[in-house]
Amino acid sequence: MLIQETIQGVPLQLETDSSLFSPAAVDRGTLAMLSAAEFLPEDVVLDLGCGYGVVGILAAKKSGAERVTMCDCEETAVVLSQRNAEKNGVPGITILQSNGFEKVMRRDFTLILSNPPYHTDFSVAKHFIEEGYRHLAEGGRMFMVTKRLDWYKNKLTSVFGGVRMQEKDGYFVFCAEKRRRPVKKEKPVRTMSKKLERRYAGKKKGVRK
């Protein structure tokens, strides 16, 4: 099965399979998430749970194939993502068969995008969010799209310290940023006690020029 979709002005041809999520058309939740995400030339991108490769291939078109990693636990998804990457002229994407972050070694992603399986329990989403935080560079962002609000909002806030959310086409699109740690100012090294400092300062005041 072959579908065609233009996203962010980029035409894509995608081979799909009935065993994968949303085989007849690109999922509306994924399209909602991509309407909120911007890919810059310097971004390092992870498509987490890539399916047949929509997000990662678009990212490669925008940021360069060598800066994109895609992963999925399903072998069929990995095979089709590889075919679709070649079909769309970005064969250099790193594509992994991985149960979540199990085989994802990079920890310098500036963007992680995921449409998690939200009709199951929250164990997969919990893993995605907690490990996503660890695999982002400081200042990096995680985008997630779901049809559930409260649990995702609370979990992303607890891990990232805050989250932005917008609703589109019946889906909730979340964006959480790994905030940069404040630079600690070093305390001046004391070479004498406070008592001696006061005595020395008093002597300096009493010196006539």
Side-chain angles (χ1 to χ4, degrees):
M1 188 182 305
L2 188 69
I3 62 176
Q4 299 186 48
E5 185 76 52
T6 298
I7 308 173
Q8 296 188 9
V10 178
L12 301 174
Q13 287 192 334
L14 302 160
E15 184 180 343
T16 72
D17 186 89
S18 59
S19 66
L20 299 179
F21 175 64
S22 193
V26 177
D27 170 61
R28 289 189 299 112
T30 297
L31 292 175
M33 178 175 65
L34 290 173
S35 72
E38 180 183 8
F39 300 101
L40 301 176
E42 64 271 20
D43 276 325
V44 180
V45 183
L46 173 63
D47 180 1
L48 177 59
C50 63
Y52 46 82
V54 180
V55 174
I57 290 169
L58 176 65
K61 288 284 194 178
K62 297 278 189 172
S63 301
E66 71 282 358
R67 304 178 73 83
V68 177
T69 301
M70 298 160 59
C71 70
D72 201 287
C73 63
E74 297 290 341
E75 183 180 1
T76 301
V78 172
V79 170
L80 283 181
S81 290
Q82 290 169 339
R83 287 183 195 166
N84 288 330
E86 293 176 2
K87 188 185 298 291
N88 288 276
V90 284
I93 300 173
T94 299
I95 304 173
L96 306 170
Q97 184 173 356
S98 175
N99 186 10
F101 284 91
E102 183 181 31
K103 296 181 181 178
V104 179
M105 298 296 106
R106 296 194 71 154
R107 290 178 178 261
D108 62 344
F109 294 107
T110 61
L111 282 177
I112 296 176
L113 300 100
S114 183
N115 184 350
Y118 46 83
H119 294 300
T120 60
D121 63 36
F122 294 109
S123 61
V124 174
K126 181 175 182 290
H127 168 75
F128 280 13
I129 292 168
E130 292 176 351
E131 286 300 315
Y133 181 87
R134 297 185 182 99
H135 284 73
L136 279 171
E138 288 188 0
R141 294 171 296 155
M142 183 172 206
F143 283 88
M144 297 192 93
V145 61
T146 79
K147 279 197 168 183
R148 297 184 179 185
L149 175 60
D150 292 339
W151 187 91
Y152 284 88
K153 182 180 178 181
N154 293 336
K155 183 62 179 178
L156 285 160
T157 299
S158 70
V159 172
F160 284 83
V163 65
R164 296 192 302 275
M165 187 276 294
Q166 59 179 278
E167 187 174 359
K168 186 176 176 64
D169 294 336
Y171 291 86
F172 300 107
V173 179
F174 300 93
C175 177
E177 181 177 343
K178 184 174 182 177
R179 297 170 181 173
R180 291 179 172 86
R181 297 173 185 171
V183 178
K184 292 183 179 179
K185 293 183 179 179
E186 294 185 4
K187 294 181 180 180
V189 178
R190 291 188 177 278
T191 57
M192 61 180 75
S193 68
K194 288 184 178 180
K195 186 176 180 180
L196 285 174
E197 283 180 354
R198 287 195 296 269
R199 184 183 299 174
Y200 181 68
K203 284 182 179 180
K204 287 187 71 177
K205 288 180 181 178
V207 174
R208 293 181 180 178
K209 292 185 179 179

